[in-house]
Amino acid sequence: MITAISPLDGRYASKVTELTGCFSEYALLRNRVKVEVLWLLALCAEPGIAECRAVTSEEERTLRAIIDEFTPEEAQKVKKIEAVTNHDVKAVEYYLKEKIAGTPLEELSEFLHFACTSEDINNLSHALMLKDGLTALTPLQGEIIDFLKKLADQYKAVPMLARTHGQTASPTTIGKELAVFAARLQKQSRNLAQVEILGKLNGAVGNFNAHLSAYPQVDWPALAKGVIEDELELTQNMFTTQIEPHDYMAEMFDALARWNTILIDLNRDIWTYISMAYFGQKTIAGEVGSSTMPHKVNPIDFENSEGNCGLANAILNHLSAKLPISRLQRDLTDSTVLRNMGVGFGYSMIAYRSTLKGLSKLKLNEHKLAADLDSAWEVLAEPIQTVMRKAGIEKPYEKLKELTRGHAIDRDTIRAFVESLELSADDKQRLLDMSPASYTGMAEKIAKLLS
């Protein structure tokens, strides 16, 4: 929308469509309706709650249809009620009472939201939103990892001059360096997948107080667990105040932010390789690189991804730091903050799509890679001084330092120095046969270890 304040709803709206069904106000209301209906059904199925009669199969279908048929138009009806109540969760209760009014289910109206505090409904709704959000987001993470694995395998044997502190260093291979990023991201994806999404249905301060006051004979923890774990496929947390403490959310947001931080690292490295001409970029007809310099193809996808990862992490890091903190048994500082979960996910999604687009446009420049290696014979100072140490030659590091630092070094310089050394025939020949392009250690084998 051209008048949107947030780029997530404006410029980038088409890139985050999957998340509108996860984190929008409509999504929140839909999940609240779902939790309220499922709680009512659980109460009706509990023999110990005599006044809440069992529902017929047809009545259960009617109630579940309210969930399945909850459209944005129905959500507007809830918002209209909220305009009067000035309470969003109570508006859902009243909406549901209106839905069953005039039917045999109306006699069960007062068991809607029975013994619940608003946070019983909200915490489960937020949990469902996060569950759906991860379902939308993590496949893109998987695509990035798979793309990197593919490139790592394709370029596992392509030598590249490494740089530490920005200076020429022992050579590696393109594939091995990409494999490092794939492995790092893969590990964080596993950590993210292992976060248990928790929920509670235990009343005003987490003790089932109201529940027991009405029906002391009912096993309320078991009844709540049936809704939380069997129906919603979450994990029950028995140790709560009025709110589920949000620690699992902090774990999730930390894991997601760490994934994004590694992606920033990848974006910056690829950007640098492009600036060094190790990679070129495929051109797309009609695209303009610079408004004034026609020759340019800017690495905009990696820059876009880096910026959006930063925005995502700013939100995610605040959520992680703030949400586990609540004054005594409850304060409302978490309520407004939780409404921004989708913002962190949204900027992450934009970043992932940008990185994928950038990776798809990369073209390896093997000629430039080879030329840089051939102009960096000084990197062989490392293996030469290491073999000299093996041979017991005095001050090998210092001698190579004197030979290489501040001097132009080429193949002939290296060969002449090696020829002058008192080494075994095998060691000397191995050094003479070595070139910067061949001095890659186990880089290719390490790249192959990626699973």
Side-chain angles (χ1 to χ4, degrees), residues 177-197:
E177 299 312 307
L178 294 177
V180 169
F181 282 108
R184 292 172 68 192
L185 292 171
Q186 197 166 251
K187 184 175 189 295
Q188 296 311 317
S189 288
R190 286 196 295 267
N191 290 344
L192 187 58
Q194 288 168 4
V195 175
E196 276 191 308
I197 302 180

Side-chain angles (χ1 to χ4, degrees), residues 332-354:
L332 271 176
T333 54
D334 65 335
S335 181
T336 189
V337 173
L338 283 164
R339 291 182 178 276
N340 290 278
M341 297 188 303
V343 179
F345 276 63
Y347 283 118
S348 297
M349 180 170 280
I350 294 166
Y352 301 165
R353 290 206 154 110
S354 294

Side-chain angles (χ1 to χ4, degrees), residues 73 204 249 288 405 415 436:
E73 291 72 28
M249 290 186 178
V288 175
R405 189 174 294 189
R415 287 187 66 87

Side-chain angles (χ1 to χ4, degrees), residues 180-246:
V180 169
F181 282 108
R184 292 172 68 192
L185 292 171
Q186 197 166 251
K187 184 175 189 295
Q188 296 311 317
S189 288
R190 286 196 295 267
N191 290 344
L192 187 58
Q194 288 168 4
V195 175
E196 276 191 308
I197 302 180
L198 307 181
K200 63 141 239 169
L201 256 174
N202 51 15
V205 292
N207 302 329
F208 296 98
N209 304 47
H211 308 65
L212 289 169
S213 70
Y215 296 101
Q217 75 280 11
V218 171
D219 186 347
W220 288 104
L223 188 60
K225 184 176 182 179
V227 174
I228 296 168
E229 300 197 354
D230 297 339
E231 290 281 0
L232 301 178
E233 298 180 339
L234 307 171
T235 300
Q236 184 180 40
N237 185 359
M238 284 290 291
F239 300 94
T240 80
T241 58
Q242 184 173 103
I243 66 169
E244 198 291 319
H246 305 321

Side-chain angles (χ1 to χ4, degrees), residues 144 256-257 259-265 267 302-317 344 346-352 355:
I144 292 173
L256 185 53
W259 206 100
N260 292 349
T261 297
I262 295 169
L263 191 64
I264 291 174
D265 197 20
N267 288 325
F302 298 105
E303 293 169 344
N304 179 285
S305 180
E306 180 181 341
N308 281 292
C309 278
L311 281 167
N313 282 7
I315 297 292
L316 295 169
N317 289 333
Y347 283 118
S348 297
M349 180 170 280
I350 294 166
Y352 301 165
T355 292

Side-chain angles (χ1 to χ4, degrees), residues 244-312:
E244 198 291 319
H246 305 321
D247 295 339
Y248 86 84
M249 290 186 178
E251 292 173 23
M252 181 185 295
F253 299 144
D254 283 341
L256 185 53
R258 196 171 304 113
W259 206 100
N260 292 349
T261 297
I262 295 169
L263 191 64
I264 291 174
D265 197 20
L266 170 71
N267 288 325
R268 290 180 179 176
D269 275 14
I270 298 292
W271 186 98
T272 305
Y273 291 143
I274 291 171
S275 75
M276 295 159 58
Y278 285 2
F279 283 108
Q281 297 177 95
K282 299 171 188 174
T283 57
I284 297 177
E287 279 195 359
V288 175
S290 165
S291 63
T292 187
M293 293 173 280
H295 69 283
K296 293 185 72 180
V297 182
N298 295 329
I300 57 173
D301 299 306
F302 298 105
E303 293 169 344
N304 179 285
S305 180
E306 180 181 341
N308 281 292
C309 278
L311 281 167

Side-chain angles (χ1 to χ4, degrees), residues 6-137:
S6 166
L8 291 177
D9 297 314
R11 181 179 183 87
Y12 299 133
S14 64
K15 297 183 179 181
V16 294
T17 53
E18 300 95 323
L19 295 179
T20 59
C22 307
F23 294 109
S24 61
E25 182 76 359
Y26 159 67
L28 176 57
L29 291 172
R30 185 190 67 227
N31 283 318
R32 283 171 172 161
V33 166
K34 182 175 185 176
V35 174
E36 292 278 15
V37 170
L38 292 178
W39 182 236
L40 176 61
L41 285 170
L43 295 172
C44 291
E46 171 55 51
I49 307 177
E51 291 77 7
C52 186
R53 66 167 176 80
V55 297
T56 66
S57 297
E58 184 177 347
E59 287 174 330
E60 180 173 351
R61 284 194 295 272
T62 298
L63 288 170
R64 290 187 181 273
I66 295 174
I67 302 171
D68 297 336
E69 297 170 8
F70 189 77
T71 62
E73 291 72 28
E74 292 297 302
Q76 288 295 342
K77 295 178 183 178
V78 179
K79 298 301 291 184
K80 188 175 180 180
I81 298 170
E82 185 187 341
V84 177
T85 64
N86 197 31
H87 194 291
D88 49 3
V89 177
K90 202 67 177 175
V92 172
E93 179 188 341
Y94 289 166
Y95 163 80
L96 289 171
K97 285 180 176 180
E98 287 183 6
K99 292 293 286 186
I100 62 176
T103 75
L105 287 167
E106 186 174 2
E107 63 183 298
L108 301 174
S109 288
E110 292 310 318
F111 283 93
L112 282 164
H113 202 69
F114 183 80
C116 288
T117 181
S118 296
E119 189 55 25
D120 285 327
I121 310 305
N122 280 337
N123 89 96
L124 295 173
S125 298
H126 290 134
L128 292 173
M129 293 167 79
L130 287 171
K131 185 180 176 184
D132 290 342
L134 286 176
T135 299
L137 195 65

